[in-house]
Amino acid sequence: GIPGVEINYPVEANAVFAKFPPAAEKRLRERGWKFYTGVITPDEARLMCSWDTTPEDVDDFLADLRGLVGEA
């Protein structure tokens, strides 16, 4: 539920395919977040969790994304 962020497919595993503003994508990378773009469509990101991803990691990513989308 972040304005400007769209989840493209149902989340059924450890991957989320989402679209968010290009400026937010760039700033997330500058903050050290790693994810792929252009896997299925050129303007979406593939966000993956590994077995050692914690709920706090997800919360931190979402907090950064929420803040950056708000700046756009």
Side-chain angles (χ1 to χ4, degrees), residues 6-68:
E6 178 183 329
I7 304 299
N8 296 346
Y9 311 101
V11 179
E12 299 176 342
N14 67 330
V16 174
F17 293 86
K19 292 182 185 177
F20 40 83
E25 176 186 328
K26 180 179 185 232
R27 296 287 309 280
L28 285 167
R29 292 182 192 283
E30 289 170 355
R31 292 182 180 193
W33 294 106
K34 295 177 178 31
F35 50 90
Y36 294 101
T37 53
V39 176
I40 295 179
T41 65
D43 60 343
E44 76 182 3
R46 181 180 75 169
L47 309 171
M48 300 290 296
C49 292
S50 68
W51 296 112
D52 64 349
T53 301
T54 66
E56 292 80 17
D57 294 330
V58 175
D59 291 342
D60 291 345
F61 177 84
L62 292 174
D64 275 351
L65 179 58
R66 187 173 286 111
L68 292 170

